Amino acid sequence: MPQATWYASLADEPVHTSPMRIGITGYPTYGGSGVVATELGQELAARGHEVHFITYAPPIRMNANDPRIHFHQAEVVSYPLFDHSPYTLSLAVKMLEVFEKEALDILHVHYAIPHSVSALLARQMAAPRRLPFITTLHGTDITLVGNNPNFLPITRYSIEQSDGVTSISNYLLRQTVAEFGIKRLIEVIPNFVNCDLYIRKPDPQLRAEWAPDGEPILMHLSNFRPVKRILDAIEIFAQVREKMPARLVMIGDGPDREPAEALARTRGVEKDVLFLGKQNGIKEKLGQADLFLLPSQLESFGLAALEAMACEVPVIATNTGGVPEVIVHGVDGYLVEPGDVKTAAKYAIELLSRPDRGREMGHRARINAKKKFCSSDVIPMYEQYYEQVLASNYSAKAAR
Ligand code: GMT
């Protein structure tokens, strides 16, 4: 069966959706998939839908004041017999409970493991009532964790059993087909950014705090996992610093923070590298940067890069996974091979020593982000997909 590629079947259709009751499950922490799940929920609520987040903690970017947004906590149950809580099961039960109480039309789970398995169980428990669910694949659920032999068969099964499946890039769609041999249709709906909220708003006070002598600011934002190669960000910065004054702002936290701090000390740049930890108000911070670094080993999309681009920040990233679908080399940023810190530093020095070039690339970055990835264009694709899945479900029921 042919796969749907970028915008292929959804984008050009007019959308007339009536309000739906949508359950959304994702990781409530700082990972990109959780951010997408949360932002999607907020955008859907703003468009009149009722959104029910079902997860073990309130998602970090959730607006609890919106009357159309609700949070339902799935318990991480502890019991002396359990070394590890069977969260997949308690989540499935919570999904069923919310479906029944709130009369959900559809469930949308982000990151296949274990959310699509929970949704599958919930759907089976709900029968004969219909609880269709959509799984959105984000990246490591396919490329790193999902293809671990301990998970692969059940990940493949839950993808195949989903009522709808979307992928956040064409790259990830190809990987899913190649690694899992999935034959069902998968729709590509790209990640998105709210182009009205993510705008460049200079904050002289914040800039002065980070770069008191007016140095250019490089920035990185991630969960500091090994796949992000944040030590490369430090090395790139150290090479820039050999040629010119600059500051590096590191936002986020995770396992590689300590090694990165140690490398900054070894390279003698520790005074110029600011580790801010996990932060709120990302959009206000991104817009203060002159350059964003994303030196990942693999990135199925690179949401942080897109958010930076919307704030007119050019990006130096690695030519890997879905990143080339987001950044056009030489136009709104530069792409280098993973681990090639020397070339990345060369591009960074080039850009930062010619602020006019950096600004021009920054403008291009926003233009390109707006062209393909504004939430105002992407959210209707999800709405339409929900409608499609609901319609096919109901006709499947009628045919039985
Ligand atoms: O790697 C992360 O930042 C977390 C991870 C996740 O699933 O939470 O991110 C994946 O999903 C993001 C949102 O769709 C994408 O922007 C990231 O590229 C993707 N990460 C990888 O593929 C390594």
Side-chain angles (χ1 to χ4, degrees):
M1 193 181 286
Q3 298 291 338
T5 52
W6 201 268
Y7 287 11
S9 58
L10 292 176
D12 301 329
E13 300 290 322
V15 185
H16 308 286
T17 47
S18 43
M20 286 175 256
R21 294 196 185 89
I22 304 158
I24 294 186
T25 294
Y27 285 105
T29 49
Y30 275 78
S33 62
V35 169
V36 172
T38 314
E39 300 281 7
L40 172 63
Q42 328 249 64
E43 296 278 350
L44 288 166
R47 294 168 68 89
H49 303 285
E50 195 177 292
V51 173
H52 295 265
F53 287 108
I54 311 166
T55 181
Y56 63 84
I60 44 147
R61 290 195 192 177
M62 186 182 85
N63 175 7
N65 298 323
D66 187 324
R68 291 202 193 89
I69 291 182
H70 309 269
F71 168 65
H72 308 267
Q73 186 163 22
E75 289 291 325
V76 180
V77 180
S78 63
Y79 182 70
L81 205 58
F82 301 154
D83 265 348
H84 307 285
S85 177
Y87 174 64
T88 308
L89 304 184
S90 52
L91 177 62
V93 171
K94 186 53 81 175
M95 285 168 165
L96 176 69
E97 191 185 302
V98 178
F99 162 67
E100 284 173 342
K101 263 203 196 132
E102 309 292 345
L104 294 185
D105 294 303
I106 198 157
L107 253 180
H108 186 175
V109 303
H110 293 258
Y111 207 89
I113 304 169
H115 303 136
S116 59
V117 177
S118 299
L120 180 53
L121 289 171
R123 186 182 72 187
Q124 283 170 353
M125 288 189 287
R129 293 154 300 167
R130 301 198 69 82
L131 172 52
F133 77 94
I134 290 173
T135 301
T136 289
L137 309 171
H138 280 271
T140 48
D141 47 352
I142 296 300
T143 57
L144 219 62
V145 193
N147 61 14
N148 178 313
N150 295 298
F151 293 124
L152 194 144
I154 199 160
T155 308
R156 181 198 286 129
Y157 183 68
S158 64
I159 291 171
E160 273 168 351
Q161 292 296 315
S162 301
D163 296 280
V165 182
T166 76
S167 154
I168 47 95
S169 65
N170 288 306
Y171 158 79
L172 190 60
L173 166 66
R174 288 193 299 271
Q175 282 308 107
T176 309
V177 172
E179 295 196 23
F180 287 71
I182 301 279
K183 294 200 172 54
R184 61 159 305 145
L185 192 74
I186 297 176
E187 196 74 43
V188 176
I189 301 183
N191 283 340
F192 55 88
V193 62
N194 187 317
C195 298
D196 298 326
L197 299 178
Y198 280 75
I199 44 174
R200 191 171 188 85
K201 245 196 236 148
D203 179 344
Q205 214 178 325
L206 196 52
R207 266 199 82 108
E209 197 183 300
W210 290 341
D213 297 321
E215 303 95 325
I217 296 174
L218 295 86
M219 195 173 279
H220 173 79
L221 157 69
S222 77
N223 46 26
F224 290 21
R225 283 186 290 131
V227 71
K228 301 291 172 184
R229 295 187 72 106
I230 66 165
L231 275 73
D232 285 3
I234 304 291
E235 182 54 38
I236 294 165
F237 177 72
Q239 293 187 21
V240 170
R241 196 59 199 82
E242 282 165 13
K243 301 282 179 211
M244 60 193 294
R247 306 301 300 276
L248 172 63
V249 175
M250 299 286 289
I251 302 178
D253 211 337
D256 275 356
R257 178 169 173 167
E258 266 182 43
E261 286 177 334
L263 180 63
R265 284 194 294 276
T266 312
R267 298 290 274 111
V269 293
E270 73 274 19
K271 288 203 177 70
D272 293 320
V273 183
L274 310 174
F275 285 90
L276 302 188
K278 292 175 182 172
Q279 294 284 308
N280 294 322
I282 294 298
K283 51 187 180 301
E284 291 78 16
K285 296 187 171 78
L286 281 173
Q288 310 312 316
D290 297 296
L291 177 60
F292 189 84
L293 299 177
L294 190 70
S296 307
Q297 183 63 35
L298 180 62
E299 208 59 77
S300 298
F301 186 91
L303 180 65
L306 173 63
E307 292 178 340
M309 288 166 68
C311 296
E312 298 180 33
V313 185
V315 179
I316 295 180
T318 37
N319 187 13
T320 177
V323 177
E325 296 173 39
V326 184
I327 298 165
V328 185
H329 178 73
V331 176
D332 46 21
Y334 291 108
L335 298 176
V336 302
E337 292 312 306
D340 187 358
V341 288
K342 207 168 151 211
T343 309
K346 187 192 87 167
Y347 284 134
I349 294 161
E350 220 172 274
L351 259 179
L352 296 173
S353 47
R354 281 192 48 200
D356 55 327
R357 176 83 180 120
R359 287 291 68 243
E360 187 202 313
M361 275 196 147
H363 285 305
R364 283 264 139 234
R366 179 162 171 87
I367 290 168
N368 286 347
K370 278 183 84 173
K371 241 188 240 164
K372 292 199 279 188
F373 304 114
C374 275
S375 53
S376 50
D377 295 320
V378 176
I379 304 304
M381 296 167 73
Y382 274 116
E383 288 178 316
Q384 201 188 344
Y385 192 56
Y386 294 163
E387 294 278 4
Q388 258 182 33
V389 167
L390 283 168
S392 58
N393 242 306
Y394 290 125
S395 57
K397 184 185 172 195
R400 262 187 215 143

